Amino acid sequence: MRNSTVRLLCVVTALAAAAATGCGEERRPHGTTRVGDGERPGGTQERARRVAEAWDGSTAADVYRRGFYPMADVVETPENAFRNGADKEAYLTRNFGLRGELPASDRDEGEVAWADGRSLTLPMMDARETLAKLDRDSGGGPELVVTGARLGTMKLVTSRGPATVPAWLFTLDGYDTPLKRVALDPSEKPESPIGPAADSPSNEQWPLQQFVRTSRDGRSVTVLAGHGSCDKGPAADVLETDGSVVLSGWIRDPSDGDCTADLRFTEVTVKLAEPVGDRVLLDAFTGRPVPYGDHAGGMPDEG
């Protein structure tokens, strides 16, 4: 794994989906909830309102609702993984080796099939391309050995609800069940109708690192947020409308003293007034959807 000053998080995520909300409905804030200790900075809610107003009913929101955007890890580990610490380290660092042949695919496209009957056809990766998405470590250390693969499917939670998607099922040496990886890339994200809050983050407005999960009932959202070594960690406010859930990240009680320059990541959970459903989950600082996807290995900050 590439050297880094930060430790990343590997999580399996889940999202509870609800019925679709029309893009043209009146925007109606449902209220806000503050998470974390310390004095809440001013200005976070005004920025969140501007982001919500820009997105709600926009072309970007319509494009987002019609696309394929995973809201869970696109990798599913074998049952009872992992058998030892070395294999776990190999997975967290994404260090894979290949011993054997990978099959060719006779399909260039794959279909995302949602539970409500909707579907979307997208370009599909072959087994070798998909394995390359998994194998990120160019160094030494323990590795998981892939001995073969076959094309199958996996269940995945998306921004439009649960779906069945094409996946490559990789056989791993020493495991009876496969490691699955989605064979599709997400749809291209639409251009945001609003720019970032500033050229660089501040303690009062801080970008979120990535989406982690929601609760089973969809009434809380957990994200990964960055912070420094001399503060009390990150926090987040939320502004809900009919079309969006806007999260505003900020830093609790920052210190002006001497601190190391490393960036730490901590999970922040925000309670919602209503299930997130198919509302667009937005980062107030960037003005864009909260990042998601194939989570890299590592552990969160324990502070």
Side-chain angles (χ1 to χ4, degrees):
M1 184 172 63
R2 294 185 297 270
N3 290 333
S4 174
T5 59
V6 300
R7 292 172 290 171
L8 300 178
L9 173 69
C10 177
V11 293
V12 176
T13 61
L15 179 66
T21 301
C23 296
E25 295 181 3
E26 179 185 358
R27 295 186 292 271
R28 184 181 70 250
H30 298 306
T32 63
T33 301
R34 184 170 69 86
V35 173
D37 301 323
E39 184 179 354
R40 171 174 167 265
T44 59
Q45 290 303 291
E46 179 58 34
R47 167 64 182 177
R49 289 188 185 95
R50 291 199 296 268
V51 172
E53 289 172 357
W55 272 87
D56 288 359
S58 68
T59 299
D62 185 52
V63 170
Y64 190 85
R65 288 190 177 90
R66 290 187 280 110
F68 167 58
Y69 302 103
M71 297 293 282
D73 201 331
V74 295
V75 181
E76 184 178 308
T77 58
E79 295 177 7
N80 302 318
F82 288 94
R83 60 181 179 173
N84 54 47
D87 282 2
K88 183 176 181 180
E89 179 182 349
Y91 177 74
L92 293 178
T93 59
R94 296 300 170 90
N95 191 12
F96 289 80
L98 176 61
R99 186 193 308 148
E101 296 293 327
L102 294 178
S105 175
D106 58 357
R107 297 165 52 187
D108 295 327
E109 295 181 329
E111 184 180 74
V112 183
W114 280 276
D116 62 5
R118 293 176 296 174
S119 64
L120 180 66
T121 299
L122 293 170
M124 191 174 75
M125 296 179 286
D126 62 23
R128 189 169 293 276
E129 291 173 313
T130 305
L131 181 59
K133 295 276 188 177
L134 283 169
D135 187 18
R136 298 176 176 173
D137 190 356
S138 58
E143 66 177 15
L144 288 167
V145 176
V146 175
T147 59
R150 62 182 176 86
L151 187 61
T153 62
M154 63 182 284
K155 302 289 187 180
L156 185 70
V157 178
T158 76
S159 60
R160 294 169 59 178
T164 300
V165 297
W168 284 102
L169 282 53
F170 293 99
T171 304
L172 299 183
D173 185 32
Y175 292 85
D176 296 328
T177 57
L179 179 145
K180 302 179 182 180
R181 206 286 181 186
V182 172
L184 307 174
D185 279 330
S187 301
E188 184 176 352
K189 290 183 178 179
E191 182 177 353
S192 175
I194 187 172
D199 292 334
S200 60
S202 67
N203 293 326
E204 291 76 26
Q205 290 280 341
W206 195 268
L208 302 171
Q209 176 69 17
Q210 67 183 29
F211 169 87
V212 177
R213 60 181 169 269
T214 65
S215 59
R216 287 185 176 274
D217 62 5
R219 290 183 177 272
S220 68
V221 177
T222 300
V223 294
L224 196 65
H227 65 104
S229 59
C230 292
D231 54 54
K232 292 186 178 180
D237 290 345
V238 59
L239 176 69
E240 300 182 52
T241 73
D242 287 339
S244 58
V245 176
V246 186
L247 300 180
S248 302
W250 52 280
I251 304 300
R252 293 184 290 132
D253 297 333
S255 171
D256 295 329
D258 294 332
C259 302
T260 59
D262 60 310
L263 178 64
R264 305 180 179 189
F265 293 136
T266 300
E267 289 187 6
V268 176
T269 298
V270 181
K271 294 182 179 180
L272 306 180
E274 296 183 7
V276 62
D278 74 339
R279 293 182 292 172
V280 185
L281 186 65
L282 297 166
D283 179 351
F285 180 86
T286 64
R288 298 182 58 82
V290 177
Y292 55 82
D294 185 0
H295 305 297
M299 294 298 291
D301 174 50
E302 296 175 356

